[in-house]
Amino acid sequence: MIEDTTTRSKNFIKEIIAADLAKGKNDSRVQTRFPPEPNGYLHIGHAKSIVLNFGLADEYQGHCNLRFDDTNPVKEEEEYIQSIIEDVRWLGYDWEDRLYFASDYFNRLYELAEQLVKSGKAFVCDLTAQQIREYRGTLTDPGKNSPFRDRPIEENLDLLRRMRAGEFQDGSRVLRAKIDMTSPNLNMRDPVIYRILHTEHPRTKDTWCIYPMYDWAHGLEDSIEKITHSLCTLEFEDHRPLYDWYLIQLGVYRPQQIEFARLNLSYTVLSKRKLLQLVQEGHVTGWDDPRMPTISGLRRRGYTPESIRHFCERVGIAKKDNIADIALLEYYIREDLNKRTSRVMAVLNPLKIIIDNYPVGQVEQLEAINNPEDAEAGIRTIPFSRELYIEQEDFQEEPHRKFFRLAPGREVRLKHAYIIKCEEIVKDEMGNILEIHCSYDPQTKSGDAQSNRKVKGTLHWVSVTNSIEAEVRLYDRLFVKANPDDVEEGADFKSNLNPQSLEIKSARVEPGLLEAQPGDRFQFLRRGYFCVDIKDSTPEKLVFNRTVPLRDSWARIEKMNARQKQ
RNA sequence: UGGGGAGUCGUCUAAUGGCAAGACUACGGGCUCUGGAUCCGUCUAUCGGGGUUCGAAUCCCUGCUCCCCAGCCA
């Protein structure tokens, strides 16, 4: 399946697995699972869990299941199930025939609940939600027993069956475990097992009107699937005693729950609640908006599955709260795209130049190497003519120190073409530059024997008449602060939204791009990596998304200069 | 102030009583028909205080800081 063995490093979970294997625990099986709740789209944080779980199974010749934890029909939707399946597959993982749903186990889960009631370890409680909260106590004060705690087993069984039969209203009763209302671990204070919810489930429809709570369902799902190592995030650490308690009381197979720190990423948010809010309030165009840290957003942005996997492997697995630097993700996508994309030329901020000594009407087809990193990528031709566009920022009338692009009297090379010299600037009456007149040196055509004259700068360009228009969407970080939750008193994370996270350009691109297909990726020379948008691009109107800009040491120099002037 | 966790370069992760290592970032330089890539180099870390030991990031004691838990969410 996946060949990435590059950054496989040790971590504490692998040590546990290796020790278990050495002991012959679980018949030396390794069985993991990725258990999403279908209440939102998957994001890069889920990718970390996916890479971990599937990666471990792969490394130890085990298996990893894809299992939907669909126990709360109030929040879950079929659309989310489909998107999750698509995203896990796109990331490159295969669960073969092991696609499971918690809802497929509802019968078994219910049988076990009756078993727990019969053993006297669970009871039906008539307290309201508010009362249960009051009886639970606080962090420092113990709770007190529910007045219904000592109901006879037969009465509990009868009430549970009637709950299931739909005799009672939502919220009127719950099934609770009988553990210890004085436990310092709040999870052990007679936790709820089943609640009444007369809500249609995406899969079981109206078969059920009682639904299991997470703690009851999850351990049993793991047990049923004979999971050996049940990996989850840190906030479930103090649920582990309950996870174990249920399985021990029931006398069923007991997987081992192991917790690791979830991923946080700088300059973005990774909570389903916040992401949902961005979608619902229209701060982005949808779950797959290229600015979103969702798998579908990253995909549309132009990220590759490989780059995401490499990133997840490199951030590692530990128990420390962390905020990974988004620059690391950007590093991996650049690394990948550098090797695999063809270079093309696109001018985002056109400035017209006219080469006065080049024949009017002549069009030359010049050869260009597609990818200097990949000889097999071949060559293409691009049309050169008398009138061209270059980038506005590649010309300075009064060049400052270290600027080695076009300026009055200066020479630069046009990539794959000739060396040109700036001869004259034409302005309108307002002083705006309209066009620049240049001369070219016919001896300097790229590839020619005498073309090796050195000039300091090389510019990308397109022909005025032989280029095509394209919409280019420049995406930037969604938030202006590394930690979006760092806000003024009274404000929330949305106050840190980056107003410039999307800039739309009307660009000129080389004509060969007419054949680009949705999803195709390119390097726009000297600008960055771009892909053809999979939703909005059409043959009539090409739309490119900027995946990530190139590293730009010139931009750094400029920033430094700007700072020094202040 | 109950319980559960965690503290190592700016960031992430190693080192499992024996030279604190790597990646990213930042910075400097070589090379370059992409100010890209690449190559070379530099900076920066064991939360504090005691103790054990020839030797402590690691073991012990103590203090501090941060995160999670009072859903009929997961």
Side-chain angles (χ1 to χ4, degrees):
Chain A
M1 109 169 154
I2 286 165
E3 73 298 335
D4 311 327
T5 47
T6 44
T7 44
R8 270 190 182 160
S9 60
K10 267 206 318 195
N11 63 50
F12 77 100
I13 295 178
K14 289 185 186 182
E15 286 180 11
I16 292 171
I17 293 176
D20 288 347
L21 254 18
K23 282 183 295 195
K25 189 178 172 184
N26 300 309
D27 307 318
S28 298
R29 282 180 312 118
V30 171
Q31 175 71 62
T32 57
R33 100 267 95 114
F34 173 63
E37 184 192 10
N39 67 344
Y41 278 60
L42 258 27
H43 55 63
I44 184 85
H46 295 106
K48 174 175 173 176
S49 176
I50 292 166
V51 170
L52 207 217
N53 279 290
F54 279 93
L56 250 16
D58 184 46
E59 187 168 348
Y60 293 99
Q61 289 83 49
H63 298 287
C64 181
N65 303 344
L66 174 58
R67 181 179 72 225
F68 286 93
D69 208 1
D70 54 347
T71 56
N72 183 3
V74 175
K75 292 184 176 174
E76 297 157 7
E77 292 174 24
E78 180 63 27
E79 178 196 347
Y80 296 135
I81 295 176
Q82 292 313 318
S83 74
I84 290 167
I85 287 175
E86 182 186 359
D87 288 348
V88 178
R89 188 168 287 146
W90 178 78
L91 279 173
Y93 297 99
D94 183 7
W95 50 89
E96 298 174 305
D97 57 351
R98 298 179 311 281
L99 172 62
Y100 302 129
F101 292 84
S103 52
D104 289 341
Y105 309 141
F106 280 175
N107 273 316
R108 179 64 181 149
L109 263 40
Y110 178 80
E111 282 172 18
L112 290 164
E114 285 207 355
Q115 181 185 321
L116 198 68
V117 169
K118 288 172 186 163
S119 70
K121 297 286 187 180
F123 66 101
V124 172
C125 184
D126 300 358
L127 254 26
T128 64
Q130 172 65 24
Q131 288 169 321
I132 287 183
R133 195 174 308 128
E134 287 161 10
Y135 274 72
R136 185 153 35 225
T138 69
L139 293 179
T140 49
D141 302 318
K144 57 185 181 191
N145 287 346
S146 162
F148 303 98
R149 198 172 198 263
D150 295 318
R151 279 223 255 237
I153 289 175
E154 280 313 314
E155 187 182 340
N156 283 324
L157 208 48
D158 175 61
L159 286 169
L160 174 59
R161 288 172 179 165
R162 288 164 64 193
M163 278 170 62
R164 181 192 181 175
E167 289 188 28
F168 308 124
Q169 288 187 329
D170 286 8
S172 59
R173 287 185 167 82
V174 290
L175 180 70
R176 292 225 258 168
K178 201 184 286 187
I179 308 180
D180 178 7
M181 290 305 290
T182 68
S183 172
N185 181 346
L186 268 49
N187 296 119
M188 301 299 272
R189 320 246 260 228
D190 292 4
V192 173
I193 296 174
Y194 271 101
R195 77 283 213 188
I196 302 171
L197 246 33
H198 290 269
T199 301
E200 182 163 301
H201 186 280
R203 291 175 53 85
T204 61
K205 304 303 174 190
D206 60 356
T207 307
W208 294 88
C209 63
I210 59 171
Y211 290 92
M213 295 290 290
Y214 168 83
D215 291 295
W216 177 254
H218 205 92
L220 291 175
E221 294 157 19
D222 286 342
S223 179
I224 289 166
E225 294 176 16
K226 293 281 186 290
I227 300 300
T228 55
H229 304 270
S230 174
L231 314 180
C232 63
T233 42
L234 255 27
E235 66 270 27
F236 293 102
E237 214 147 16
D238 50 14
H239 289 243
R240 185 169 5 110
L242 181 56
Y243 182 101
D244 290 337
W245 190 88
Y246 283 139
L247 299 175
I248 290 167
Q249 297 305 317
L250 265 7
V252 295
Y253 173 78
R254 185 144 69 96
Q256 180 183 3
Q257 175 179 303
I258 302 169
E259 309 84 12
F260 65 95
R262 69 179 332 127
L263 174 73
N264 295 291
L265 242 199
S266 61
Y267 297 99
T268 191
V269 291
L270 291 184
S271 100
K272 281 196 209 171
R273 199 196 98 244
K274 287 177 187 155
L275 294 174
L276 214 210
Q277 208 178 337
L278 294 176
V279 172
Q280 287 181 337
E281 295 177 10
H283 301 289
V284 294
T285 59
W287 285 98
D288 67 346
D289 185 299
R291 291 166 292 185
M292 290 283 272
T294 51
I295 304 302
S296 52
L298 292 167
R299 175 167 61 231
R300 193 169 166 198
R301 176 85 167 246
Y303 273 78
T304 59
E306 290 82 358
S307 65
I308 294 173
R309 276 189 252 132
H310 286 156
F311 168 77
C312 289
E313 283 159 6
R314 174 56 72 183
V315 292
I317 300 296
K319 297 191 72 156
K320 193 180 73 162
D321 289 328
N322 62 81
I323 303 175
D325 192 339
I326 199 166
L328 186 64
L329 217 210
E330 293 174 343
Y331 168 80
Y332 280 110
I333 188 57
R334 286 194 189 103
E335 176 193 64
D336 196 13
L337 263 17
N338 176 48
K339 283 177 291 191
R340 67 205 293 173
T341 57
S342 287
R343 276 61 172 165
V344 295
M345 295 200 283
V347 175
L348 272 42
N349 301 305
L351 169 62
K352 192 178 196 176
I353 63 171
I354 297 161
I355 301 171
D356 293 316
N357 61 338
Y358 194 86
V360 176
Q362 178 172 313
V363 176
E364 235 180 312
Q365 294 296 330
L366 301 175
E367 279 194 354
I369 292 172
N370 286 327
N371 185 353
E373 307 290 325
D374 177 10
E376 298 196 354
I379 56 168
R380 69 185 186 288
T381 59
I382 41 178
F384 183 86
S385 59
R386 190 169 190 265
E387 298 194 352
L388 307 169
Y389 289 122
I390 63 169
E391 300 283 0
Q392 288 167 19
E393 55 268 48
D394 283 340
F395 176 80
Q396 283 184 5
E397 192 170 1
E398 292 169 30
H400 72 62
R401 210 168 54 85
K402 287 187 180 174
F403 182 85
F404 36 85
R405 303 178 186 178
L406 201 62
R410 284 230 199 137
E411 285 190 323
V412 294
R413 171 169 290 282
L414 294 177
K415 181 74 178 177
H416 305 306
Y418 300 92
I419 291 173
I420 59 166
K421 183 178 186 181
C422 172
E423 306 285 2
E424 188 194 350
I425 304 168
V426 178
K427 295 180 181 178
D428 64 15
E429 59 279 8
M430 303 292 290
N432 301 310
I433 298 174
L434 291 177
E435 56 188 36
I436 292 173
H437 286 259
C438 299
S439 59
Y440 86 116
D441 178 351
Q443 303 292 304
T444 59
K445 183 173 171 180
S446 290
D448 279 6
Q450 315 99 304
S451 70
N452 289 332
R453 188 150 63 85
K454 298 290 179 202
V455 286
K456 198 73 173 144
T458 300
L459 309 186
H460 62 279
W461 52 273
V462 294
S463 160
V464 168
T465 47
N466 296 284
S467 60
I468 57 177
E469 194 184 318
E471 177 174 319
V472 170
R473 298 174 178 174
L474 301 178
Y475 292 105
D476 198 356
R477 294 166 178 181
L478 230 200
F479 291 90
V480 293
K481 283 192 180 169
N483 174 12
D485 289 319
D486 175 15
V487 292
E488 300 286 317
E489 187 73 29
D492 76 355
F493 73 104
K494 295 193 297 304
S495 65
N496 283 324
L497 243 6
N498 177 7
Q500 276 131 36
S501 61
L502 170 59
E503 186 184 356
I504 297 177
K505 294 276 181 192
S506 175
R508 302 295 303 186
V509 303
E510 60 178 80
L513 251 18
L514 217 40
E515 276 147 53
Q517 298 300 308
D520 283 357
R521 301 182 179 93
F522 301 92
Q523 183 194 104
F524 285 0
L525 214 69
R526 300 206 303 136
R527 302 265 13 180
Y529 296 99
F530 293 75
C531 70
V532 181
D533 189 77
I534 49 184
K535 262 194 173 169
D536 298 341
S537 191
T538 64
E540 292 72 40
K541 189 195 181 195
L542 283 169
V543 177
F544 289 93
N545 297 329
R546 182 172 68 190
T547 308
V548 64
L550 252 28
R551 289 187 69 220
D552 189 350
S553 46
W554 167 243
R556 243 172 257 147
I557 293 169
E558 274 190 312
K559 210 178 283 177
M560 200 100 79
N561 282 329
R563 223 176 284 147
Q564 279 166 2
K565 276 178 192 166
Q566 281 173 359

